[in-house]
Amino acid sequence: MPSRKPREPQKPTLSVVIPMYNEIDNVEPMVARVHRGLADYAGDWELICVDDGSRDGTGARLTEVAGRYGKHVRVIRLRRNFGQTAAMQAGFDAARGELIATLDGDLQNDPADIPRMVDELLARDLDLLQGWRRKRQDDLVMRKIPSRIANKLIGKVTGVALHDYGCSLKVYRAEVIREVTLLGEMHRFIPVWVAGVTAPARIGETEVTHQARQFGTSKYGISRTFR
């Protein structure tokens, strides 16, 4: 009798939260890539897309695309543009998973990194695993240099030293991130705020894939560094 391949242990339930603002051309490929990236995830998962008051039809496109995939794809539409931090908070409030992953909706983060990050977070017994875009595919002056300045400043002031605070690709334990209330525009400080409710040693980072933007333009620029 042929031996059966052992079944992979059941993974924690997972919510993937993606805030989007004026990203209509990225909606369909983004949802498709999330499904490809999580096709072999050995657990229940959901995708929560938050339309942050887009004016280009992103919200309607999200609703239409979600209808093709099923009830595990949920769309939250904010009445106006509140900013990326507020959109993330709306996604966290709606998430049902034991773990929550976040990424940008511009296709620069790769959803295929999420299952590996879940495994690493569990293996290292972390509460937050931060992505590190070591080979970042962005403009040097407008994106990379301001980000490096901000990363060094935040690390020096707070003592929580990470290479890439600005990377939206993160995996959290839901019970921990729900103890943090996100305000204003300072989503870059999420690891610092998490360090206020758990031990800094339970916050880690890992290298992730980063790709050049294919559609649309960035909604955030050098002004973030000064703020």
Side-chain angles (χ1 to χ4, degrees):
M1 189 177 197
S3 60
R4 287 187 175 183
K5 182 179 179 180
R7 293 185 62 183
E8 185 177 353
Q10 186 79 4
K11 292 292 192 336
T13 54
L14 173 67
S15 298
V16 178
V17 173
I18 305 180
M20 302 189 78
Y21 176 58
N22 290 347
E23 295 282 5
I24 188 169
D25 292 329
N26 285 320
V27 168
E28 194 154 356
M30 180 272 296
V31 174
R33 284 182 60 181
V34 170
H35 280 79
R36 289 197 300 270
L38 296 179
D40 295 326
Y41 184 73
D44 294 330
W45 62 273
E46 64 178 354
L47 170 59
I48 301 174
C49 301
V50 184
D51 172 39
D52 186 22
S54 299
R55 299 181 179 181
D56 67 344
T58 293
R61 181 69 60 84
L62 280 168
T63 301
E64 187 269 323
V65 171
R68 298 187 221 154
Y69 283 88
K71 294 183 179 180
H72 68 289
V73 181
R74 301 161 59 199
V75 178
I76 298 172
R77 299 183 66 175
L78 304 185
R79 292 178 181 270
R80 66 173 178 83
N81 177 230
F82 287 94
Q84 189 171 3
T85 303
M88 281 188 178
Q89 182 66 63
F92 291 159
D93 290 343
R96 301 165 179 160
E98 298 167 88
L99 302 179
I100 299 176
T102 58
L103 68 159
D104 285 332
D106 56 12
L107 299 179
Q108 291 193 264
N109 299 139
D110 190 348
D113 281 327
I114 294 175
R116 174 185 61 80
M117 292 179 71
V118 168
D119 289 342
E120 186 171 341
L121 178 135
L122 297 174
R124 295 170 61 183
D125 194 23
L126 300 175
D127 290 326
L128 164 60
L129 184 60
Q130 166 78 52
W132 174 16
R133 300 164 293 180
R134 191 169 192 173
K135 298 179 181 178
R136 186 173 179 180
Q137 304 299 310
D138 274 324
D139 179 82
L140 178 64
V141 175
M142 295 301 294
R143 304 284 286 180
K144 289 184 180 180
I145 291 178
S147 182
R148 289 171 186 168
I149 294 171
N151 290 330
K152 289 182 179 179
L153 179 62
I154 294 169
K156 185 173 182 179
V157 171
T158 66
V160 181
L162 297 172
H163 288 92
D164 191 2
Y165 275 86
C167 181
S168 293
L169 183 51
K170 300 176 173 69
V171 177
Y172 313 80
R173 292 188 192 269
E175 63 191 75
V176 173
I177 192 60
R178 287 200 179 101
E179 294 186 38
V180 176
T181 300
L182 305 182
L183 302 170
E185 300 180 50
M186 307 306 287
H187 62 278
R188 182 183 292 271
F189 281 92
I190 287 177
V192 177
W193 292 344
V194 170
V197 298
T198 190
R202 295 182 63 85
I203 299 173
E205 63 180 347
T206 188
E207 289 187 37
V208 296
T209 305
H210 194 246
Q211 301 167 353
R213 176 183 271 274
Q214 295 177 317
F215 307 107
T217 58
S218 173
K219 312 306 182 294
Y220 306 97
I222 198 168
S223 62
R224 293 181 306 168
T225 304
F226 300 109
R227 290 201 294 270

